[in-house]
Amino acid sequence: MAKVVCVLYPDPVDGYPKSYARPDIPRVEKYPDGQTTPSPEKIDFTPGALLGSVSGELGLRKFLEAQGHTFVVTSDKDGTNSVFEKELPGADIVISQPFWPAYLTRERIAKAPKLKLAITAGIGSDHVDLQSAIDRKITVAEVTYSNSISVSEHVVMMILSLVRNYIPSYEWVIKGGWNIADCVSRSYDLEGMHVGTVAAGCIGTAVLRRLKPFDVKLHYTDRHRLPAAVERELNVTYHPDAESMVKECDVVSIHCPLYPGTENLFNDALISKMKRGAYLINTARGKICDRDAIVRALKSGQLAGYAGDVWFPQPAPKDHPWRTMPHHGMTPHVSGTSLSAQARYAAGVREILECWFSKRPIRNEYLIVDGGKLAGAGAHSYSAGDATGGSEQAARYKS
Ligand code: NDP
């Protein structure tokens, strides 16, 4: 019997919800690429319920305990005295979410001799030292596509909110003011701007598709080029690298995974190549941007705005400079964990576990590492290596 250790974000400060704003969520059966949404044999939760926090338990307890497995759920993930670290020595399977990541560093993997499977409830497994997982032959799997559309919607919201200067205008209302000139002196139309995405995978392509009706000029860069028919349909210009793309763009949105090759991609040098007054959106991973270079660029006016929901580490310490830098539209890491997304990734985790326990293959699309090498989506989109360095700083949030 397996011990499954699951790290989820804490419940709402007012307690686990007793009711919801909407009675249900739309049923989505297929993703835009034709792949079916997760198809476990059964689910033990109501789609639309809060599943991603500790009391939601991803809807897994009944399923796991009925088979005799031990299921530990905690949000206490950082520091050597955390519940997570104390449970690691007996863990066969770890489940974690990028929103509240249980960083699985080389040191922590060494403390977990029985660990065989690390599941990401969502997309993006950079919180696992993938090199160590390769070396230790730990399978790493995530629920590909489960929240890609959720993120793309969030990105459109963030682009519009920065370009239109929505957040400061909203704040004038809350303050009891009617200061129109203050609101509009940084407000523009998106129409006619050049908008580019770094990567055109599930999220990047969905962002391009959603922005096309705004009559913008679209650009992208990626390691693999989109099919010519898709480029024509979106009327999107391909660039061989980020540098050649950012020179032409008024808005840049980042959608590549974090691995050593993309860490600090947006540093002083690359930001200096951007148009003055450009907007930068990052819902991929905080570490893809050099933290202090972003602050400098906002202060100097090189960037007109920065928005996103990803930080490093997570949770961000209370003194993280992105909380207080000018002209930002940051949220905590929420874009991929709407109630709609949770229903899909909870079902996806259940599907992965059902496959694992019955020794059936996990969908190839879900695999990041398997059999001691990058596999599935991981082989396509990642490079081997470790991007967890510095994650121990997440413990500072507690203090
Ligand atoms: P995909 O795997 O579909 O797409 C990733 C794309 O990035 C691939 O097309 C890949 O190229 C491309 N890529 C890799 N390296 C580079 C590079 N150096 N330059 C340009 N492109 C590159 O993943 P998703 O679109 O679903 O998700 C992307 C990322 O978004 C995730 O890895 C995760 O970090 C983040 N994410 C954030 C969420 C949130 O809540 N904020 C939720 C979900 C994901 P190719 O495969 O062609 O080599």
Side-chain angles (χ1 to χ4, degrees), residues 98-99 122-126 142 144-145 147-148 151 198-204 221-225 254-259 261-262 265 283-285 288 309-310 333-337 377 380-382:
F99 323 105
I123 302 172
S125 298
D126 49 275
E142 59 185 46
T144 308
Y145 236 137
N147 54 14
S148 303
V151 177
V198 177
C202 300
I203 300 175
T221 181
D222 198 293
R223 301 196 301 191
H224 300 88
R225 208 163 161 169
I254 306 172
H255 300 296
C256 55
L258 169 65
Y259 54 85
T262 59
L265 175 67
T283 53
R285 283 296 178 263
I288 297 172
D309 66 332
V310 287
H333 192 163
V334 293
S335 64
T337 185
H380 204 269
S381 298
Y382 284 78

Side-chain angles (χ1 to χ4, degrees), residues 300-312:
S300 72
Q302 175 61 12
L303 287 178
Y306 180 91
D309 66 332
V310 287
W311 308 66
F312 187 80

Side-chain angles (χ1 to χ4, degrees), residues 4-8 53-55 57 61 71-75 83:
V4 181
V5 179
C6 179
V7 178
L8 299 175
S53 76
V54 169
S55 296
E57 301 186 320
R61 185 168 295 282
F71 188 41
V72 178
V73 184
T74 181
S75 62
V83 172

